[in-house]
Amino acid sequence: MTTTTSSQAHPETPPRKNQLIPMLLGPLLGLGLFFLLPDTLETPGKAVAACALWMALWWITEPVPIPVTSLLPIVLFPLFGMGTLQEVASPYANSVIFLVLGGVLLGLATEKSNLHIRIALLTVRLVGTKPSQIVLGLMIASAFISAWVSNTATAVIMVPIASSILHLVRSVDKDAGGTKFAASLLLGVAYGVTIGSTATPIGQPPMALMKAFLLETYDFDLSFGRWMLVGVPWAIVMVVLAWLVLTKFVYRPEVDEIPGGKQLIANEIAKLGPMSTAEKRVAAVFSAAIIFWVVVPFISEIPVVAEYVPWLASLSDAQIAVAAAILCFIVPNGETGGERAYSRLLQWPDAKEVPWGLLLLFGGGLSLSAMFTQTGFSEWVGEQVAGLANLPAWAIILIVMVVSLALTELTSNTATAAAFFPIFGAVAVGVGIDPLVMTIVVTLSVCSAFMLPVATPSNAVAFGSGDITIKQMVRAGVWMNLVALVLIMIVMYTLVPLVFGVSI
């Protein structure tokens, strides 16, 4: 079974033709907005609104690489008096950026050890080897891995595994590996990756951006464990619903049994051999990080622990992620032969696979958000939309969900989140909705686009396999989008108030 190297997990965006028009529209429309805004908004507020429009247009149309757009605040904000260079640049070193960095390095260690392939195949064997069970098994494996590893990397890892299984099934029974099974299998992996990555704050960029935005703008530290009380139930229910939509409703597999299906999976597991030392050590480091992220915060609140081990309560998610990543550069991989003999779980050259541009995107988005507040623009926007407070809260949330999801179908969900967080945060304040609620609504919405290849990295990678068409993706995606909208609304009125103590 083959998989794709991590270097392909973060491909460069290919250059597009006719980029001059969107490149010029960004600054021109920004300048136009500056002069159109009323004098009730002070000049720094007008300037940050103009820069926000410029950045949003460039993020969406990509006339220059997204990370390059994300550097604009460092040049523009001090130039127009929105803040000092130190104030503008400090969000680029936000603690959440180091959380993402640590998470990515842990994911790279998992890839290098091939632990992900073993997890996927063992999950399939555990769930079952009937066509619909194989789909469920790969969806669960994809969701679990994506919760801890970059969703792009997980998609690049899991789609080739799904394609290999599809071709193995076709080699045994051509009918069993028909177009419906292929669609449900590949889309199942794509959806599993997208959904699973919402279970934790490091699964995909909008999740980490949500955590960073809340900390930077509202001084609210969304802890790993607290978010998982919402993210994990949401992800479990969404995976089950996605599986039902794919295998029972839209693309029911052609056959109910695959001849020799159990043996197929057993053979693939046998090819992996016994668990290597590197796999065991990566699993140990990852398990320790998960325990410190999820369990330790609750233990630190026990009075006896708080008295004798007070430093436990001060550990941040970013510290844990970076510590785990450092361990991967220290712990030997246990191999005594071959090219990697006596090396570590990670070597520094592996860091070239880190999506450094993504970290710049975080910095640019957070700098923009900080200036929204500092210049008074957020307060002004809130005042302008105060009249919408007469609408019921559910109607406002529904509008935000539809707008966020619709735009994400056409562009990067990370760019959409970066542009929308400060805007809808200000709207939330204006209409009397807790900004935490609105931020979660936007986050789950931009992470729930299932119709088109450009919507999410996992959709793009699945489409790139060549085993599914856009028509098939749209047909399933329409239903998934509707399911997501309904479930987000349910989550906002049940889990979110229960976990965070906020009301809508």
Side-chain angles (χ1 to χ4, degrees):
M1 180 175 294
T2 59
T3 188
T4 310
T5 61
S6 60
S7 63
Q8 293 170 281
H10 309 285
E12 291 290 330
T13 303
R16 301 176 182 176
K17 295 180 179 179
N18 303 322
Q19 291 180 320
L20 182 59
I21 293 177
M23 189 178 294
L24 293 175
L25 276 179
L28 289 176
L29 290 179
L31 188 63
L33 179 62
F34 179 87
F35 288 109
L36 284 174
L37 287 170
D39 292 335
T40 53
L41 180 62
E42 296 182 359
T43 299
K46 292 182 181 181
V48 79
C51 292
L53 179 58
W54 179 351
M55 292 175 67
L57 285 171
W58 276 16
W59 272 333
I60 292 168
T61 58
E62 291 187 58
V64 299
I66 284 178
V68 174
T69 302
S70 305
L71 290 171
L72 283 176
I74 292 178
V75 177
L76 297 177
F77 289 3
L79 183 65
F80 293 106
M82 287 175 267
T84 65
L85 181 59
Q86 184 174 351
E87 290 170 336
V88 171
S90 61
Y92 288 82
N94 187 284
S95 63
V96 177
I97 291 175
F98 291 96
L99 170 64
V100 174
L101 175 61
V104 168
L105 290 170
L106 277 173
L108 290 174
T110 304
E111 270 187 75
K112 285 191 68 174
S113 70
N114 281 331
L115 178 62
H116 59 286
I117 297 177
R118 189 177 302 274
I119 291 172
L121 292 175
L122 290 176
T123 304
V124 170
R125 186 174 71 178
L126 179 66
V127 175
T129 55
K130 294 181 179 180
S132 62
Q133 292 173 337
I134 290 176
V135 173
L136 180 60
L138 284 182
M139 288 182 74
I140 292 172
S142 299
F144 176 77
I145 295 172
S146 186
W148 310 102
V149 179
S150 152
N151 62 337
T152 307
T154 306
V156 173
I157 289 165
M158 293 301 300
V159 167
I161 294 174
S163 294
S164 296
I165 291 175
L166 175 63
H167 297 147
L168 282 171
V169 169
R170 285 175 172 171
S171 69
V172 173
D173 188 335
K174 189 175 181 180
D175 292 334
T179 56
K180 290 184 178 179
F181 176 61
S184 62
L185 189 67
L186 271 300
L187 289 176
V189 168
Y191 295 169
V193 169
T194 299
I195 295 165
S197 61
T198 60
T200 69
I202 63 169
Q204 62 172 301
M207 303 304 301
L209 197 55
M210 169 186 66
K211 178 180 172 69
F213 170 73
L214 289 171
L215 185 61
E216 183 77 25
T217 308
Y218 302 107
D219 198 29
F220 179 82
D221 188 5
L222 182 63
S223 69
F224 220 96
R226 179 72 64 89
W227 172 254
M228 288 182 70
L229 293 175
V230 173
V232 171
W234 149 268
I236 291 172
V237 174
M238 273 298 291
V239 165
V240 172
L241 292 175
W243 176 71
L244 290 173
V245 167
L246 287 172
T247 63
K248 307 301 180 185
F249 182 52
V250 182
Y251 295 118
R252 188 183 183 91
E254 286 82 354
V255 299
D256 293 329
E257 289 278 355
I258 298 173
K262 187 176 292 186
Q263 190 59 42
L264 278 177
I265 301 300
N267 290 341
E268 291 300 318
I269 294 174
K271 288 179 185 178
L272 293 176
M275 198 171 182
S276 68
T277 303
E279 286 180 83
K280 293 176 182 176
R281 292 177 180 178
V282 169
V285 173
F286 228 132
S287 298
I290 292 171
I291 289 171
F292 272 90
W293 275 328
V294 179
V295 180
V296 168
F298 293 101
I299 294 176
S300 66
E301 294 179 1
I302 299 173
V304 175
V305 175
E307 182 179 354
Y308 291 100
V309 198
W311 56 267
L312 273 183
S314 65
L315 285 177
S316 71
D317 294 338
Q319 279 178 283
I320 295 164
V322 172
I326 290 173
L327 270 178
C328 290
F329 287 99
I330 295 174
V331 176
N333 63 12
E335 295 183 19
T336 55
E339 294 181 1
R340 296 188 62 217
Y342 305 107
S343 66
R344 314 295 179 180
L345 296 177
L346 280 179
Q347 304 277 32
W348 183 246
D350 296 321
K352 69 182 180 181
E353 309 297 345
V354 172
W356 298 105
L358 179 64
L359 304 184
L360 288 178
L361 171 60
F362 282 155
L366 293 175
S367 186
L368 179 63
S369 299
M371 289 304 109
F372 264 50
T373 303
Q374 188 166 312
T375 61
F377 181 69
S378 290
E379 184 180 351
W380 182 83
V381 170
E383 292 171 355
Q384 305 313 302
V385 299
L388 294 177
N390 295 326
L391 289 175
W394 67 264
I396 297 172
I397 289 173
L398 180 61
I399 292 169
V400 171
M401 284 195 299
V402 171
V403 171
S404 302
L405 194 153
L407 184 58
T408 304
E409 289 289 4
L410 303 173
T411 187
S412 156
N413 62 353
T414 307
T416 305
F420 277 7
F421 279 156
I423 294 172
F424 285 131
V427 169
V429 173
V431 299
I433 295 177
D434 194 302
L436 171 63
V437 170
M438 191 66 82
T439 304
I440 294 174
V441 168
V442 173
T443 304
L444 292 180
S445 299
V446 301
C447 295
S448 300
F450 299 101
M451 281 177 56
L452 297 174
V454 296
T456 62
S458 55
N459 280 9
V461 175
F463 178 72
S465 69
D467 289 309
I468 54 175
T469 64
I470 289 183
K471 185 177 180 180
Q472 288 175 314
M473 188 172 284
V474 169
R475 184 183 172 193
V478 168
W479 291 104
M480 283 302 303
N481 285 355
L482 292 174
V483 167
L485 289 174
V486 172
L487 193 58
I488 291 172
M489 189 69 78
I490 293 173
V491 166
M492 299 316 299
Y493 278 90
T494 54
L495 281 177
V496 170
L498 185 65
V499 171
F500 296 107
V502 293
S503 57
I504 300 178

